[in-house]
Amino acid sequence: MASKGEESATRPEYAAVPSKSTRPKDFISTLPTREGWSTPLIQYSKYWHRPHILEEILQVQDTFTPRGDDMILVTQPKCGTTWLKALAFAIINRGIQSFSDHPLLTLHPQRLVPFIEIPPPNAGHAYLDTLPSPRLLATHLPLSMLPHGMSSVGCRIVYLCRDPKDALVSRWHFENKILGKGFNMELEKAFAMFCEGVSECGPFWDHCLEYWKESLARPDKVIFLKYEEIKSDPVRAVTKLARFLGAPFSEEEESSGVPQEVVRLCSFETLTSLPVNQVGGFDRYVQGLGHMHLPSSAFFRKGVTGDWSNHLSQEMGETLDLIVQQKLEGSGLTF
Ligand code: A3P
């Protein structure tokens, strides 16, 4: 992504494009489909999407109006979206909210930072236009599928990824949770599909690679973070993130422990201790799937690195590592 004139070059040439007169649903029905995960996945522009979300994506690509001061948090599902939403929200709002009376204590991080492609129930995409600047928004979209104009207006993009083995295991647990009702995917099947590149927003490596390259080309506008680096030194990561978002901690804030407060407020332990993240959930009616209930607690499981080894064999781990290594070869990105 560079100047406006170059923007179309980022859209893969092989991507089918719906004509203006085709309804998204009709267009989607012409695309390749794979079954296996908790919902079917549809391939559009090389990437795999849930059908009802792809419908929203097609709409938002043309209707979303980016602003130069937008801050966009980008992840693949299960790479730490909820954590990143909490951290960025706490950083941006630290001057306005005291930590003892903070919105994160009573609102789920997923509600505080809306997804561009998933509007809140009954709100519609126009809802995003009503938010005051600077907006803190999130997306799972690959770089090449971001709404038009985002690069040319100069939004800041924070990309967070994670060891693919942990992302896969986290996703497998989540898939078995979201539909409940007896859906029980075998881990071996999830592993095989993930290795083939067939997972929501996958191929996993391509999603990472697009943002990795962009972070090298435009480091002032795109920052590339890893879940593991936040886990190993959260204060350092939060300080780096605050600087990138244009809200660096002052010397006074650093000496009075504000970065540590942000880390504590957003820690797995604090967030999971709050009733708002344990009770209730997110409800949605999806045509073809019926009523979907996503428990608030489904976004929190273990919150550690390396849990893959409790689920995948050593051989499976090595196989996935090798695939990812080959896909990322020469890019400088490693896990
Ligand atoms: P695990 O399933 O490995 O525990 P997402 O928010 O993208 O859906 O990612 C969910 C993953 O992030 C889950 O991983 C979840 O436990 C973890 N997570 C959620 N909040 C976290 C936090 N505050 N700190 C660390 N990890 C967190």
Side-chain angles (χ1 to χ4, degrees), residues 76-83 110 162 166 170 227 231 266-268 271 299-304:
Q76 289 187 64
K78 315 329 293 171
C79 285
T81 321
T82 316
W83 192 15
Q110 293 289 353
R162 185 180 195 185
D166 281 336
S170 180
Y227 182 98
K231 208 69 200 165
C266 303
S267 70
F268 187 83
L271 293 183
F299 294 93
F300 305 94
R301 192 181 60 93
K302 277 198 175 173
V304 298

Side-chain angles (χ1 to χ4, degrees), residues 72-88:
I72 317 287
L73 311 179
V74 189
T75 52
Q76 289 187 64
K78 315 329 293 171
C79 285
T81 321
T82 316
W83 192 15
L84 181 62
K85 282 184 172 188
L87 288 169

Side-chain angles (χ1 to χ4, degrees), residues 168-324:
L168 160 64
V169 165
S170 180
R171 177 189 294 269
W172 171 69
H173 280 285
F174 186 77
E175 292 279 321
N176 284 338
K177 246 182 245 172
I178 52 174
L179 284 188
K181 298 179 197 154
F183 176 80
N184 199 1
M185 186 181 193
E186 284 167 13
L187 181 57
E188 287 69 22
K189 188 170 174 188
F191 175 77
M193 290 185 81
F194 192 88
C195 287
E196 227 192 295
V198 186
S199 59
E200 189 186 1
C201 296
F204 186 91
W205 39 86
D206 286 331
H207 199 289
C208 299
L209 206 49
E210 284 189 358
Y211 284 100
W212 169 252
K213 288 181 181 165
E214 194 70 2
S215 74
L216 298 179
R218 300 194 308 135
D220 54 327
K221 293 295 177 192
V222 183
I223 190 172
F224 193 98
L225 302 173
K226 292 179 183 166
Y227 182 98
E228 295 74 20
E229 84 178 86
I230 309 183
K231 208 69 200 165
S232 75
D233 193 343
V235 170
R236 187 164 180 270
V238 157
T239 306
K240 184 166 141 186
L241 184 55
R243 208 178 308 123
F244 175 78
L245 291 175
F249 295 109
S250 64
E251 270 180 33
E252 195 187 333
E253 283 181 310
E254 287 199 350
S255 57
S256 60
V258 174
Q260 285 79 356
E261 272 293 290
V262 168
V263 168
R264 193 194 52 75
L265 176 67
C266 303
S267 70
F268 187 83
E269 292 68 28
T270 303
L271 293 183
T272 51
S273 72
L274 299 169
V276 68
N277 296 324
Q278 292 298 338
V279 180
F282 300 79
D283 290 282
R284 210 183 152 134
Y285 180 78
V286 178
Q287 228 175 359
L289 293 171
H291 176 241
M292 286 180 86
H293 176 74
L294 198 48
S296 300
S297 60
F299 294 93
F300 305 94
R301 192 181 60 93
K302 277 198 175 173
V304 298
T305 59
D307 186 47
W308 68 269
S309 63
N310 295 315
H311 299 275
L312 303 178
S313 67
Q314 202 57 36
E315 194 190 341
M316 287 162 106
E318 284 166 12
T319 302
L320 182 49
D321 277 346
L322 193 63
I323 292 172
V324 174

